[in-house]
Amino acid sequence: SLNDTRRISHTLNNLDMHSALVMALSQSDAPWLHHILHTLHKNGASVQTILCQIEDAVANGYRPHSYNQDELDLALLVYHVGGGTLLSALNQHLCLPSLCTL
């Protein structure tokens, strides 16, 4: 039936995306790749989103965020005043440095 054909087509498309992701991972052992994968997986990204991010990083270069001294000082102040939980929340929502960065 038409529904079965669509389901099979969708499954094959997902399999192709998963295969492409496995190939991308097997070809590189770069720290930036592990960082992208960890972050996207933690945020629940789809395989298609992960592939797009990897392709974008390869095409345009991966640029991790560098924190200036004011951002580091603010993160340290937040940690001393509110603790690790508050710093973690602000890291996720305001892109402040994490406790590991301090």
Side-chain angles (χ1 to χ4, degrees), residues 48-102:
Q48 185 175 5
T49 301
I50 293 171
L51 283 174
C52 288
Q53 290 291 326
I54 291 171
E55 289 171 356
D56 184 54
V58 168
N60 300 320
Y62 177 67
R63 294 180 204 92
H65 184 77
S66 301
Y67 298 107
N68 63 33
Q69 191 59 46
D70 289 340
E71 291 169 320
L72 292 169
D73 290 343
L74 179 60
L76 192 58
L77 177 65
V78 166
Y79 177 68
H80 284 295
V81 171
T85 304
L86 178 61
L87 181 58
S88 177
L90 293 177
N91 168 260
Q92 294 295 316
H93 296 286
L94 299 178
C95 296
L96 282 181
S98 68
L99 186 57
C100 294
T101 305
L102 297 177

Side-chain angles (χ1 to χ4, degrees), residues 11 16 19 21 24-25 32 37-38 44 47 54 62 68 71 97:
T11 302
D16 286 343
S19 296
L21 179 59
L25 295 176
W32 62 267
L37 291 173
H38 174 74
V47 172
I54 291 171
Y62 177 67
N68 63 33
E71 291 169 320

